[in-house]
Amino acid sequence: MATVIQDDTSTSLRTAAENVRVRHPASLVRALTGLAAAGLTLLLATGAQGTADGLDADVAQGTEQVPWALGGPAGLLAAVALLVLPLAFAGQRLARRAHRGLADGVAAAVLAYGLSLALDAAVGGLAALTHTNPGGVGRTDPVYGHLAPVLAFMTTAGAARLPRWRTALAVTLGVAGLSGLVTGYATPLSLVLALLIGWAAGHATTYALGTPACRPTTAQLLIALGQAGVRPHLARRTAPGRYLVTQHDGRPDLDVLVLDPRAQTSGWPGHLWRLLRLRAELTPRGLLPPRTGLEHEALLAYAATAAGVRTRQIAATAQLAPDSTVVAYHYLPGRAFGELAEEELTDELLTDAWQQLQLLQRRRTAHRAISADALLIAPDGAVHLVGLSDGEIAAGELQLHLDVAGMLSTLALRAGAEPAVRTGTTVLGAPALCAALPLLQPIALAPGSRAALKAQPELLGAVRESLLRDQPQAEVQPVRLERLRPRTLLTVGAGLLAGYLLLRYLLTSDRDPFAVLSAADPFWFGLAAGAAALSYLAATLGFVGFVPERLHFGRALAVQVAGAFAKLVSPGGVGGVALNTRFLQCGGVPTPQALSSVGVSQLGGLALHLLQLAFFAALLGRAPQGEMPSARVLAVGAVLLCAVVVSGFAVPWVRRRIGGLLRPLRAEVLPRLLDLLQQPGKLALGVAGQLLVSLAFITCLYCCALAVGQQPGYAAVAVAFLAGNALGSAAPTPGGAGVVDVLLVTALRQMAGMDEGAAFAAVTLYRLLTFLLPVLPGWAAFAWLQRRRAL
């Protein structure tokens, strides 16, 4: 009986495999590793020239013991081998009609040779990479470039996967490198650079051009399915790598999934990022070979079936090619949960979904990707749990709780928080749902659910409130699921850059920080230290004054001191804000009120900071002066400003964005400020504390300038501090390290007329008193507060 094959792009029978190119992430990793190793080699040649010269001298002394009878013929033999080996490999591949990759190898050889020439021109002056030619004229090349093109060609053409050719390549490169050392035309580091450049160029070309691979055709698919025991009749591609296959004699249709190298490597950048970012329990299944992926998928399907879960049943598995496999499921008609109408979202349907998850969890099997697409609703209304390819058997508690959180969010996104919680409590019980509360956060959910939550940002809060209404003692503090945050990467990178710039500034400056400290006037330095200490008392007044509740003053003071320790691991004032909020929460202040109090304090501090800047700028004579614009100019400006504002509010997404930004201010901060207005004494204390904080820091910097023998004006120092600190606090480095220092030095030079050396000395003393020395007391205060459960 004839077999019919249909495809979205063609209805003709295909007999030849479709050639595709696949970019394997391993090639990119190897290329980046090679480039990083080459960079470290250059760093060694630059920064450890004595070590590199000593290594070159030791090698030269050792090679002098080799007789010329061995060195000369070996060098000639190596030169011939470097030419013959690639040609022999290319001839053998052409003779066997296995020519795929040869053109890529030539491209890799050209790239490696070009990189060698470019590096020769760029670092030719590094003495650690070269020495005098054996003839006494000129110097050797920084990169022993004969090796790089050969290694790149053989790597890209596929010789590394063939044991005999791999051995021949290693022997040839080893003999050639040794002959270069013996004859004196190469240095050890030039050999290392050549090999690294060739290896990196080969793998970079392999990744850029892709590895040739054959994608199985529908004809091959049907033949393989027939050999696996099914009777395929018609195949139709429904998605990349997925087919709907009908069978003879009215047998059930099949949903066929092809696992090949292209499917294996798709989406690997996102997979790698999640692997680095999330804890091991949350990372998706690794990039498995097709056969291993087939075994994993079949294992999860059989485990779910054994647990009694309604899911797709496996009909057949087969191998299409050495790097391609296929798994066929009995076709399951139905609609995804996200496609249902609102009237179809009944409690019976939600209960059925929870029951399927309960069956899975009883066997300690985790789904790990529960979303609206993982719930398939059959025509009879039964819920089927599909998409188990990322699941785990013998799962841990965290993975099982993550599935509960995923089901909660999935059902709540369509049916609402109350029905999702009510039906989940009926099936699993309130304790099981409460155990998933700390994991109910966007990063723990499937990508589809995370995208849907952007339109309903308040949903997770509604789910928590619904659960806590009956279980108020449940733990709701979110669990840390990320081991690496984007903000952490930014902070570390900015910190390294700032540290490098500051170190370079210190090395190139004429002023030694230790000499600056030893030469400082003790009297003014002591006053500066007193002003720095006074800033913590002022910060405590400013913090306590903006909190209507009664706080323990001593512990509040310890929190401000602990903020000096938090600066080391957080940018700007983020650490202090977090500590103040946590202190209020531990003191019994509800989280919304705690956040509002800290927000009011920050807004008040910002307003007072700007007012002080305007005041001292006016004293300094740098306030804007001159004639006021005419009434016509002011009127035109006001009309234009109103037009821009009205036009902005006419755009829906702008209106929604502004409303979202102002909602917390209107709902939380303003009511908290009204509560404070009923306690004018406390509000005055907070305002005075915020003013004293800035004045204490200004006084500290002013006394530091006097300690190094300068006589600047107090107003000039105030403007320099207020302007420089405001700009530097936005830097993503811990405590504004590096950025604040440079800005303060620049501001003192421009505002106070100090020379660069004196400004640097004053800022060094100031940062020593306000950033470095308080770290140890801050750590002690932090530990003391933790022991008393105040943080």
Side-chain angles (χ1 to χ4, degrees):
M1 186 175 294
T3 297
V4 180
I5 300 141
Q6 290 185 355
D7 194 279
D8 289 345
T9 57
S10 174
T11 58
S12 62
L13 182 66
R14 297 185 181 182
T15 58
E18 181 182 357
N19 290 325
V20 295
R21 285 182 172 267
V22 178
R23 292 186 175 91
H24 288 280
S27 299
L28 179 60
V29 172
R30 293 188 183 108
L32 295 177
T33 303
L35 292 176
L40 290 176
T41 304
L42 290 174
L43 185 62
L44 174 64
T46 305
Q49 186 171 346
T51 302
D53 291 341
L55 177 63
D56 188 21
D58 292 341
V59 171
Q61 185 178 2
T63 54
E64 288 177 358
Q65 309 301 322
V66 179
W68 182 90
L70 293 178
L76 180 61
L77 179 63
V80 174
L82 286 175
L83 178 63
V84 171
L85 183 66
L87 295 177
F89 178 75
Q92 189 245 21
R93 303 300 287 175
L94 290 173
R96 295 187 178 184
R97 299 192 178 186
H99 57 277
R100 290 187 302 178
L102 293 181
D104 298 348
V106 173
V110 173
L111 175 62
Y113 188 67
L115 288 175
S116 300
L117 292 179
L119 204 57
D120 283 343
V123 299
L126 286 179
L129 296 175
T130 63
H131 57 211
T132 306
N133 274 319
V137 179
R139 300 183 67 84
T140 59
D141 294 331
V143 181
Y144 196 56
H146 303 83
L147 308 184
V150 175
L151 179 57
F153 173 83
M154 299 294 281
T155 300
T156 305
R161 296 189 294 269
L162 304 174
R164 292 183 178 179
W165 288 103
R166 185 170 61 242
T167 302
L169 176 62
V171 171
T172 301
L173 293 177
V175 172
L178 182 60
S179 68
L181 293 175
V182 171
T183 56
Y185 286 100
T187 64
L189 292 185
S190 69
L191 281 178
V192 172
L193 274 179
L195 294 176
L196 290 175
I197 288 174
W199 195 64
H203 286 294
T205 304
T206 300
Y207 180 77
L209 300 180
T211 302
C214 291
R215 177 189 294 173
T217 64
T218 49
Q220 294 172 326
L221 172 65
L222 294 178
I223 292 172
L225 289 176
Q227 295 173 348
V230 300
R231 303 192 64 190
H233 171 60
L234 183 143
R236 179 170 60 88
R237 184 185 297 175
T238 58
R242 188 175 287 274
Y243 296 82
L244 178 63
V245 177
T246 59
Q247 299 190 77
H248 292 293
D249 304 331
R251 295 186 180 186
D253 295 345
L254 301 176
D255 186 8
V256 180
L257 178 64
V258 176
L259 303 175
D260 57 12
R262 187 167 186 175
Q264 173 197 3
T265 58
S266 62
W268 74 265
H271 171 90
L272 180 61
W273 170 238
R274 288 179 63 84
L275 189 67
L276 294 173
R277 182 182 182 186
L278 302 179
R279 289 171 52 179
E281 297 87 347
L282 277 77
T283 54
R285 178 170 55 88
L287 301 178
L288 304 178
R291 172 164 288 279
T292 307
L294 170 66
E295 294 171 352
H296 183 87
E297 187 140 347
L299 175 63
L300 264 296
Y302 289 135
T305 302
V309 179
R310 289 193 293 268
T311 187
R312 292 191 176 101
Q313 305 291 318
I314 290 183
T317 59
Q319 182 169 351
L320 292 176
D323 57 354
S324 300
T325 58
V326 61
V327 55
Y329 296 95
H330 290 295
Y331 177 68
L332 187 61
R335 293 175 295 164
F337 181 74
E339 300 174 358
L340 299 180
E342 291 187 8
E343 58 271 13
E344 298 179 273
L345 302 174
T346 62
D347 281 3
E348 291 76 11
L349 182 72
L350 303 185
T351 301
D352 192 11
W354 281 114
Q355 289 172 345
Q356 298 308 303
L357 179 62
Q358 183 186 39
L359 292 172
L360 201 63
Q361 297 217 330
R362 283 177 178 174
R363 295 296 183 93
R364 311 292 296 182
T365 302
H367 189 287
R368 301 190 63 185
I370 292 181
S371 64
D373 294 332
L375 301 178
L376 189 66
I377 315 303
D380 60 357
V383 177
H384 292 70
L385 204 55
V386 298
L388 288 158
S389 58
D390 286 328
E392 291 287 345
I393 62 172
E397 289 294 332
L398 179 60
Q399 292 175 335
L400 297 179
H401 293 333
L402 285 169
D403 277 357
V404 176
M407 184 65 78
L408 261 176
S409 60
T410 299
L411 300 183
L413 279 167
R414 290 300 321 279
E418 291 289 345
V421 172
R422 182 175 61 250
T423 53
T425 303
T426 302
V427 177
L428 297 182
L433 266 63
C434 290
L437 270 182
L439 303 172
L440 201 61
Q441 42 188 307
I443 191 64
L445 305 179
S449 299
R450 290 201 303 271
L453 277 174
K454 293 180 179 179
Q456 304 182 50
E458 72 286 347
L459 180 69
L460 296 184
V463 173
R464 293 189 188 95
E465 292 177 4
S466 180
L467 267 172
L468 293 175
R469 192 176 299 122
D470 298 326
Q471 300 286 329
Q473 75 283 359
E475 176 67 34
V476 296
Q477 189 67 26
V479 174
R480 174 70 180 271
L481 300 176
E482 296 174 286
R483 54 185 173 189
L484 184 65
R485 296 180 178 179
R487 186 177 61 190
T488 304
L489 285 177
L490 178 62
T491 300
V492 172
L496 291 175
L497 178 61
Y500 168 76
L501 294 176
L502 183 59
L503 181 61
R504 184 176 179 181
Y505 184 81
L506 291 174
L507 293 176
T508 56
S509 176
D510 296 334
R511 297 306 252 337
D512 182 4
F514 297 102
V516 169
L517 180 61
S518 61
D521 188 306
F523 174 75
W524 291 112
F525 184 73
L527 289 181
L534 181 64
S535 67
Y536 293 100
L537 180 61
T540 306
L541 295 175
F543 171 56
V544 171
F546 282 100
V547 180
E549 291 80 5
R550 184 178 180 84
L551 299 178
H552 190 285
F553 190 84
R555 292 189 177 183
L557 176 60
V559 170
Q560 308 312 309
V561 177
F565 173 68
K567 287 180 182 179
L568 289 180
V569 292
S570 61
V574 174
V577 171
L579 284 180
N580 289 336
T581 304
R582 183 60 181 165
F583 173 69
L584 293 178
Q585 290 174 329
C586 293
V589 180
T591 301
Q593 284 81 357
L595 292 172
S596 300
S597 294
V598 176
V600 169
S601 175
Q602 293 295 311
L603 286 175
L606 176 62
L608 293 173
H609 189 97
L610 295 177
L611 287 175
Q612 289 179 89
L613 179 60
F615 173 75
F616 283 110
L619 289 181
L620 189 63
R622 295 182 180 270
Q625 296 178 357
E627 297 183 358
M628 292 289 294
S630 63
R632 178 178 298 179
V633 173
L634 292 176
V636 172
V639 170
L640 291 177
L641 180 61
C642 293
V644 170
V645 173
V646 171
S647 301
F649 274 95
V651 180
W653 72 266
V654 174
R655 189 167 58 250
R656 288 194 301 268
R657 181 65 175 172
I658 295 176
L661 293 175
L662 296 180
R663 188 180 300 114
L665 178 66
R666 182 179 64 253
E668 299 175 2
V669 176
L670 290 181
R672 197 66 167 170
L673 187 57
L674 292 177
D675 292 340
L676 282 173
L677 291 176
Q678 299 175 10
Q679 305 180 40
K682 211 167 193 187
L683 182 60
L685 183 67
V687 172
Q690 293 287 355
L691 288 171
L692 286 175
V693 169
S694 298
L695 291 176
F697 284 131
I698 294 170
T699 303
C700 179
L701 182 59
Y702 177 71
C703 291
C704 288
L706 295 176
V708 296
Q710 301 296 306
Q711 299 291 330
Y714 190 86
V717 173
V719 172
F721 168 79
L722 293 170
N725 192 67
L727 295 175
S729 62
T733 59
V739 180
V740 170
D741 306 80
V742 173
L743 289 175
L744 287 179
V745 169
T746 304
L748 286 176
R749 291 176 57 195
Q750 295 181 353
M751 301 294 179
M754 298 171 59
D755 61 82
E756 183 177 1
F760 172 76
V763 171
T764 300
L765 293 179
Y766 168 77
R767 293 290 279 174
L768 179 68
L769 293 172
T770 59
F771 181 61
L772 295 179
L773 290 182
V775 169
L776 187 58
W779 172 79
F782 187 84
W784 181 79
L785 290 167
Q786 282 191 319
R787 284 197 301 271
R788 282 156 179 75
R789 300 185 180 277
L791 283 181

